[in-house]
Amino acid sequence: HRDIKEKRFSESVFAADLGDVASGTAHPDYNDPYTFARNTFFTAGITNLLQQVSRKLSKGEGPAVIEIQTPFGGGKTHALISIYHYIKNNEKISKLLPRDLKPMSASIAVIVGTHLNPVEGRKVDGLTLNTLWGELAYQLRGKEGYKEFEENDKQRIAPGKEKLKQFLLDKQPFILLFDEILEYIAKALDAKSLKGNLGGQTYAFLQELTETVASIDRGMLIVSLPSSVLEDYTGEKEQGLARLSKIFGRIETIQTPVKGDEIYSII
C-alpha cells in the first residue's frame, strides 16, 4: 500500500464512527459507500444481519430488536455502518454486497451517544434537540415530526409507548441504529445542571422504544453494547450496562459480527 511505503499511514483510519458517516464527515474509507463496501470483508455475521434487515423491512419477518455485542474492537460499529450504507446507498454498492441480498430502502435514524450533548442539546434547522426522542422524531420526519414531541423534548420527559407507536407506524419501513448509548446515559446522569432526571427518562424511553418497535411489522431497532465493562472504567457505567442489558434483553436477538477464523480474512 502506497501510504505505508511513503510512511504516511495513520491508524486513525480504523476508528470507525457511525455518527461521522451519517453526517458525511467520516474518512473516505467509511464515508464513500463504494470504497467502504469494496474494502469490507462481509463476515457471516454481517451478512446475516443484512439479510435479517432485508426480510424484516420488506416482509415483516424476523426479529425487530437486535443487539450487536462484541468485545472492544470486535466490529460493532463496522456492522452498523454496513447496514447504514445498505439502506442509504444500495444502488452504489449492490454489486459488492453478499449474494441474494435484495435492494432495500427505508426511513433511517442514527443515534450515536458520543456525538450528543445532554446539557446543550444539538442545534439544527432552527431547533434544539435535547433528547433521544427529539432526535428520533426530527431524523425520521424533520420539523413536522419534531413538533409532535416538542413538549416532551423540552421537558425531557419520555413520551410513552402509545405516542411512539402512532408516530412510528406511519414511517414503515424504518430502521433505528443506536451506537454508544451507554456513553450518552453516563453523561446524562452526571449532568447536575439539568432539571429532572434525563438519565432515568432515557432508560424509560429505551424500554418504551424496544417494546414499541417489537409490536410493529416492518420496523427495526439495532443497538450496539459492549460485551463487558472492560471497555469502560466506572461503577456507574457497570450499573448502566447491566440496566441496558436488562432493558434490551427481554425482547432482543444478540448478533456477533465477527467469529473465530474470520479475523484472518478480515486482515
Side-chain angles (χ1 to χ4, degrees), residues 2-71:
R2 182 178 298 175
D3 54 351
I4 295 177
K5 289 182 177 181
E6 296 177 359
K7 297 183 179 180
R8 54 184 177 83
F9 171 72
S10 172
E11 290 189 16
S12 64
V13 72
F14 295 124
D17 190 307
L18 177 64
D20 288 344
V21 172
S23 65
T25 59
H27 188 282
D29 281 357
Y30 296 100
N31 211 58
D32 180 73
Y34 188 87
T35 301
F36 174 82
R38 184 189 62 196
N39 291 340
T40 293
F41 174 76
F42 288 98
T43 63
I46 292 179
T47 299
N48 184 48
L49 269 171
L50 294 174
Q51 290 170 340
Q52 287 181 312
V53 168
S54 178
R55 286 195 299 271
K56 183 62 176 176
L57 299 187
S58 62
K59 301 179 181 179
E61 299 174 355
V65 180
I66 292 178
E67 178 191 331
I68 300 176
Q69 189 181 86
T70 70

Side-chain angles (χ1 to χ4, degrees), residues 161-173:
K161 289 195 295 183
E162 194 59 38
K163 190 170 185 177
L164 277 171
K165 187 167 185 177
Q166 291 176 0
F167 180 82
L168 291 173
L169 278 172
D170 293 337
K171 296 307 295 180
Q172 296 181 85

Side-chain angles (χ1 to χ4, degrees), residues 200-262:
Q201 288 296 314
T202 301
Y203 283 128
F205 169 70
L206 291 173
Q207 180 163 334
E208 294 164 1
L209 184 64
T210 56
E211 293 174 359
T212 300
V213 173
S215 70
I216 296 175
D217 288 339
R218 295 191 299 145
M220 290 191 81
L221 167 62
I222 301 183
V223 61
S224 74
L225 289 178
S227 62
S228 75
V229 296
L230 294 178
E231 294 188 33
D232 299 294
Y233 306 99
T234 67
E236 288 184 0
K237 284 189 177 180
E238 184 174 354
Q239 294 173 11
L241 177 58
R243 189 165 178 180
L244 286 175
S245 297
K246 185 176 181 180
I247 288 172
F248 290 108
R250 292 171 300 110
I251 51 178
E252 71 183 0
T253 296
I254 295 179
Q255 299 287 339
T256 304
V258 180
K259 294 181 180 179
D261 291 347
E262 286 179 323

